[in-house]
Amino acid sequence: MANISLITGITGQDGSYLAELLLEKGYQVHGCYRRTSTNSFQRIEHLLDQVEMHCTDLMDQASLERLIAKVKPTEVYNLAAQSFVGSSWDQPILTGEVTGLGVTRLLEAIRMVDTSIRFYQASSSEMYGKVHETPQRETTPFHPRSPYGVAKAYGHWMTVNYRESYDMFACGGILFNHESPRRGLEFVTRKISDAVARIKLGMANEVRLGNLEARRDWGFAGDYVEAMWLMLQQDAPVDYVIGTGETYRVGDFVQIAFERVGLNWEDHVVIDPKFYRPAEVDLLLADPAKAQAELNWTPKMPFRELVETMVDHDLARLSLVAKPDLKVVRKSA
Ligand code: NAP
Ligand code: GDD
């Protein structure tokens, strides 16, 4: 019998890569999307004939329960969230409802229908916040610095709690930042790659950014979804840190991105206090040793290649906008 997967947040960056991976592995893939006035299927358009889509929302307990009962998944990947840290100060309640309580709603739905379903929770390095040790590992205490980080810590502990209370196969992947050409435009890496391409093509002259000194452990999203899948294939449910073990400044990303198109970043970057956060996470650096040893997982794409891939993608995409008469058939990035 084919494995049946259900992915919440399938329209997002990770959801699209995970759907591709599970289809390659022969899974039946079901995805959840929420109703919006304009459709949000851009990242999965190329998969729509292979994936069954269901309209639901992490705010709606009854719809989740009905969905689990109908689809009868063997694995559930909870990737849905209000995932932008910056917005979580503007919408702390909504962030708590979706990113935090949404996890409990889904766990409850699974518990009501079938406790043998395997559950993956998209936990986050943002939970480490004001870090208590460097590098951060599975045992490092959490000290979240944003409403988003607090909501993720709650969701993570509920996942652990359902595992311990009901013997469910539920685990949290503590993923450090991962990026791709499919990253949302509000996140700093994609904001930069998009702006660099616009500047190169003469469509803009500057990009306004906040804190260039913040450091992140950045990897490629396509590599990270494999770790999610691996966690659900183990004999026992365990939480893992997933990251590269390297950290770079936002300023390093900026510099490499501008170098890629032969421009000087100092001529185009404007520091704007509007993009500083009320409380910053200054430094994230993963120790992924446990995942390497037990899951045999290692990240494949190095940092410079990630930056260059994102810039090249935005350059190609925006060149088509600048020259619409050029008819180029592109595979989805
Ligand atoms: P993303 O691109 O922002 O995708 C988030 C997904 O959640 C979208 O499909 C979105 O739907 C959906 N969603 C939002 N609110 C919802 C609601 N109320 N009900 C149902 N679905 C809802 O995020 P991502 O980068 O793929 O990240 C995937 C998950 O991993 C998130 O939980 C994120 O917090 C977590 N995470 C990400 C990273 C990272 O660096 N990317 C690191 C650690 C953890 P729409 O398309 O309709 O907006
Ligand atoms: N977004 C943004 N925009 N960030 C900026 C800017 C800007 O103009 N200028 C500087 N930054 C800095 C932020 O202050 C932060 O320190 C860093 O760039 C990264 O910001 P984001 O790309 O928005 O990501 P994040 O680290 O806050 O959160 C991402 O990673 C988490 C895992 O650690 C998201 O994907 C979360 O969903 C994820 O959990």
Side-chain angles (χ1 to χ4, degrees):
M1 200 185 73
N3 281 319
I4 304 172
S5 61
L6 177 67
I7 306 174
T8 73
I10 195 170
T11 56
Q13 171 189 257
D14 291 6
S16 66
Y17 284 110
L18 181 64
E20 283 171 5
L21 180 82
L22 295 179
L23 285 168
E24 269 166 38
K25 292 190 180 295
Y27 278 68
Q28 203 184 97
V29 177
H30 294 258
C32 304
Y33 70 98
R34 56 183 174 153
R35 193 265 156 190
T36 46
S37 63
T38 47
N39 107 22
S40 58
F41 291 176
Q42 301 90 311
R43 295 183 178 103
I44 50 164
E45 247 153 34
H46 60 299
L47 304 175
L48 284 175
D49 56 344
Q50 302 167 72
V51 169
E52 198 169 323
M53 297 291 284
H54 305 270
C55 188
T56 185
D57 197 298
L58 281 192
M59 304 280 279
D60 186 343
Q61 178 73 41
S63 75
L64 293 172
E65 244 172 79
R66 268 199 313 276
L67 184 61
I68 303 277
K70 179 174 152 199
V71 168
K72 299 186 173 44
T74 50
E75 296 175 9
V76 171
Y77 296 85
N78 182 33
L79 308 187
Q82 189 303 92
S83 71
F84 185 45
V85 173
S87 289
S88 74
W89 278 280
D90 299 327
Q91 299 187 309
I93 312 285
L94 175 89
T95 303
E97 284 282 359
V98 178
T99 306
L101 265 179
V103 184
T104 309
R105 291 194 190 96
L106 196 50
L107 284 164
E108 266 299 276
I110 292 172
R111 185 172 79 88
M112 291 298 151
V113 176
D114 177 2
T115 52
S116 75
I117 295 169
R118 295 190 168 204
F119 177 78
Y120 172 85
Q121 166 57 15
S123 293
S124 166
S125 52
E126 186 71 15
M127 301 187 301
Y128 296 123
K130 194 172 163 63
V131 297
H132 288 207
E133 64 175 344
T134 296
Q136 294 85 49
R137 48 180 72 93
E138 291 78 4
T139 50
T140 303
F142 300 150
H143 186 149
R145 292 271 280 173
S146 61
Y148 168 86
V150 173
K152 278 287 176 189
Y154 167 81
H156 182 79
W157 281 116
M158 287 307 280
T159 304
V160 174
N161 183 259
Y162 271 58
R163 177 166 82 216
E164 294 177 353
S165 303
Y166 306 114
D167 202 22
M168 283 168 55
F169 195 111
C171 44
I174 307 176
L175 269 54
F176 283 61
N177 298 49
H178 45 279
E179 319 294 314
S180 74
R182 299 183 196 171
R183 187 60 143 152
L185 284 163
E186 67 274 43
F187 298 93
V188 77
T189 55
R190 186 75 197 288
K191 180 175 172 182
I192 295 164
S193 65
D194 178 76
V196 165
R198 282 175 196 280
I199 292 166
K200 180 66 182 176
L201 293 169
M203 300 163 83
N205 192 41
E206 65 174 36
V207 54
R208 305 181 85 82
L209 296 169
N211 181 9
L212 299 189
E213 297 309 315
R215 302 182 79 97
R216 290 290 182 275
D217 181 323
W218 278 296
F220 170 57
D223 293 342
Y224 286 43
V225 295
E226 184 163 18
M228 300 176 186
W229 174 76
L230 282 168
M231 280 183 221
L232 294 201
Q233 312 315 308
Q234 303 306 299
D235 292 337
V238 175
D239 307 323
Y240 290 95
V241 158
I242 301 295
T244 68
E246 288 181 15
T247 189
Y248 293 91
R249 295 165 51 250
V250 172
D252 298 329
F253 195 106
V254 168
Q255 190 180 340
I256 295 173
F258 275 95
E259 267 170 27
R260 180 66 172 173
V261 297
L263 294 173
N264 242 333
W265 71 268
E266 289 95 334
D267 299 334
H268 301 283
V269 172
V270 177
I271 300 301
D272 186 337
K274 188 169 92 185
F275 295 107
Y276 276 79
R277 293 179 173 172
E280 179 61 283
V281 172
D282 296 316
L283 163 76
L284 291 176
L285 173 62
D287 176 358
K290 184 170 153 185
Q292 281 171 10
E294 295 178 15
L295 301 177
N296 197 21
W297 178 87
T298 45
K300 296 185 190 79
M301 193 182 289
F303 179 66
R304 179 173 283 273
E305 188 183 332
L306 174 66
V307 181
E308 293 179 349
T309 301
M310 291 177 71
V311 171
D312 292 354
H313 166 86
D314 279 323
L315 214 41
R317 180 179 63 88
L318 290 165
S319 296
L320 292 181
V321 178
K323 298 182 200 145
D325 49 325
L326 263 185
K327 291 230 165 22
V328 180
V329 180
R330 273 194 315 114
K331 270 182 67 181
S332 185

